[in-house]
Each structure stands twice: as structure tokens, then as C-alpha cells.
Amino acid sequence: MAIQVGDSLPEGTLMIMGEKGPQPISIAELTDNKKTVIFALPGAFTPGCSMAHLPSFIINADKIKEKGVDNIVCLAVNDAFVMSAWGKTQNAEEIIMAADGSATYTKALGLELDLTAHGMGERSQRYAMLVENGEVKYLGIDTTEIKASAAEAILEVL
Ligand code: BEZ
């Protein structure tokens, strides 16, 4: 079953690009005693994610942080090299580009998406969540239009 509003995030580890290469970052590190926005999408460099979803958070990152959010995390079932390269091409300096390469954390959330038919294997659903000290306060999942998972939807609940 998918995670819901009111649930605590499961423990887990994602990968981010450090100075010496990919390095782990725990969900606890990202969320304990913090307000964190995590948004996830089916794939780095895919058209909808590159032209709409990630840009909505880049454009609104300052506004989101002004409303007290400590971390904005972009999560995808891609590796840390790809996530880092994608963040650079998009000038996503204020976003933590986090990789869940084996979909382990995505499956722990129950938010996986089977894109095998599109040659993409197991990926993440498109969603955004607001997390306060580890507890999910808002979860917006999109299947077609990017609306409930866009930065504008997060701004409305902050
Ligand atoms: C996209 O453009 O966001 C997309 C493309 C293929 C599969 C899933 C998402």
C-alpha cells in the first residue's frame, strides 16, 4: 500500500553526487526536525519532467524556502551520475538531486510505476510530498497532467 498523509516516512537511503562521486544520504538526514519537500518523477531528462515538473520547483524554490522549507529533494529511479548531470543542465542548484537507482526507497513508499512497456523498467510515480519531521503532511500524485505534484500545489499547502 502506498504511503499516505499522516504516515511517517520509512527509513531509507538515497544517493547524491558528492565531490568524490556518489555518496549516500539518509532520509533521516533530509527530514529529521526539518520541513522537506520531496518530489519524484518517472525519469531524468524525459520531456515532461525536464520541461515542466523540475522547472516548476526551480522557479519556485526561493518562495518554497521562504515559507520555511529546509530541503527540496528531486527523486527519481535513476543513478546519481544521471541525476547530477540533469540538475546541472537545468541549473537546479537549490534542489537536492537524489537517486534511487534500484527503486528500493520508491518501493518502500509503495509509489513505484511499471514502465516496462516503454522500455524504462521500474520507475517512480509522479508525486510531491510535504514532510514535517518525517511525517507526511501533503501528498499529491499525478498520473497525467502535472498538477497535484507541481511546486504550485506545494506552495498552496505551506
Ligand atoms: C515524461 O515526459 O515525463 C515521461 C516520458 C516517458 C515516460 C514517463 C514520463
Side-chain angles (χ1 to χ4, degrees):
M1 193 172 121
I3 193 153
Q4 295 182 344
V5 170
D7 290 348
S8 292
L9 284 184
E11 283 296 319
T13 304
L14 304 172
M15 298 296 284
I16 56 171
M17 188 57 76
E19 282 178 16
K20 295 178 184 162
Q23 63 182 47
I25 186 162
S26 69
I27 293 299
E29 207 175 323
L30 290 167
T31 63
D32 279 2
N33 301 309
K34 293 185 178 85
K35 261 192 196 182
T36 304
V37 169
I38 301 175
F39 69 101
L41 29 80
F45 292 102
T46 59
C49 305
S50 282
M51 292 193 287
H53 204 184
L54 176 55
S56 84
F57 282 92
I58 293 171
I59 292 162
N60 288 295
D62 286 341
K63 275 191 212 162
I64 291 171
K65 289 193 169 173
E66 276 163 22
K67 292 197 171 204
V69 169
D70 300 287
N71 291 319
I72 305 173
V73 181
C74 176
L75 173 62
V77 180
N78 287 113
D79 63 65
F81 296 98
V82 167
M83 291 303 284
S84 169
W86 190 36
K88 282 183 185 148
T89 66
Q90 296 262 342
N91 297 313
E93 287 90 4
E94 292 191 73
I95 315 286
I96 298 170
M97 302 300 289
D100 182 27
S102 303
T104 309
Y105 195 68
T106 298
K107 284 186 204 165
L109 294 174
L111 290 170
E112 66 271 26
L113 175 68
D114 184 1
L115 289 180
T116 305
H118 298 270
M120 295 169 70
E122 191 137 46
R123 297 296 179 117
S124 173
Q125 293 183 43
R126 189 185 300 285
Y127 64 86
M129 56 169 75
L130 172 64
V131 181
E132 290 182 16
N133 192 25
E135 184 184 325
V136 179
K137 297 289 186 183
Y138 169 84
L139 174 63
I141 301 175
D142 284 317
T143 52
T144 51
E145 220 183 336
I146 303 172
K147 211 167 171 185
S149 67
E152 291 78 6
I154 289 291
L155 279 169
E156 278 182 22
V157 297
L158 282 171

